[in-house]
Amino acid sequence: MSGRDPDRRRSLLEAADRAILRDGPEVSMAAIAAEAGITKPILYRHFGDKSGLYQALADRHVRTVIAQLRPAFTERGADLRARARLTIAVYLDLISANLNLYRFLFHRASAEDTRIRSHMTSLVRSLGEELGGVLAAERVVPDPVRAQVLGHAFVGMVQTTGDWWLDHPEVDRDEVVEGLVDVIVAAIGQRSRTAGRT
């Protein structure tokens, strides 16, 4: 079945990327289909339905973002502040360089479709779990439950702050990065001091 041809699916997703880049997050499904040289029903047939197309785009791009963030926050040897700064800077650079796509996935698709909202939440949550695991494994936050709480808190904080920053381009990127880094380092440092007194 053509819908299962990975090369064909990839070319359709690339067409969707081009249409979103050109037309913005409110791009029509007809425009995406036209960019791919097919009709809307044929486009949906390859992905099951519109939700399937949204999910394929989310998998393609959110997983790519996560893959690019992972080396920054898992780098051993660098101090916490340097790792946090690098990870946040990479994230902000990625979303600002792909603004239309970010808004398409996190705003439009998530607002239109509860399944894609749930899927996106799951992808983001997996990053929080991974970060929590790193904090615990490296004994940055020795208590594994606390590490998970902080991992999810940091991911959510960076995501929502990044979303705000995209709407405020007058705010210097480095100022946003340093503000977030200060909160992360303070949260972990305060916990370490408290634990040391018990």
Side-chain angles (χ1 to χ4, degrees), residues 56-179:
L57 283 166
D59 284 340
R60 173 180 169 87
H61 293 290
V62 178
R63 291 185 195 283
T64 297
V65 168
I66 290 172
Q68 292 185 57
L69 293 178
R70 187 175 289 119
F73 72 71
T74 59
E75 182 183 353
R76 291 183 177 271
D79 69 13
L80 175 63
R81 180 172 285 277
R83 288 163 72 176
R85 182 182 294 115
L86 178 59
T87 303
I88 295 165
V90 168
Y91 176 73
L92 294 181
D93 288 346
L94 286 170
I95 64 172
S96 61
N98 298 281
L99 180 58
N100 284 345
L101 186 62
Y102 174 86
R103 287 182 168 152
F104 178 86
L105 291 172
F106 279 91
H107 293 265
R108 179 189 169 176
S110 293
E112 284 184 10
D113 191 311
T114 56
R115 286 183 294 172
I116 191 64
R117 183 166 58 248
S118 175
H119 185 65
M120 296 286 283
T121 299
S122 176
L123 291 172
V124 173
R125 184 178 298 151
S126 72
L127 183 60
E129 289 172 358
E130 186 173 350
L131 178 56
V134 170
L135 293 173
E138 296 186 13
R139 311 282 299 165
V140 176
V141 181
D143 175 26
V145 173
R146 179 73 178 184
Q148 282 296 316
V149 169
L150 290 178
H152 285 83
F154 296 158
V155 168
M157 176 182 68
V158 171
Q159 183 192 354
T160 56
T161 304
D163 198 64
W164 169 84
W165 174 67
L166 291 175
D167 289 333
H168 294 84
E170 74 279 5
V171 178
D172 183 70
R173 163 196 171 276
D174 292 342
E175 185 177 355
V176 176
V177 171
E178 290 306 316

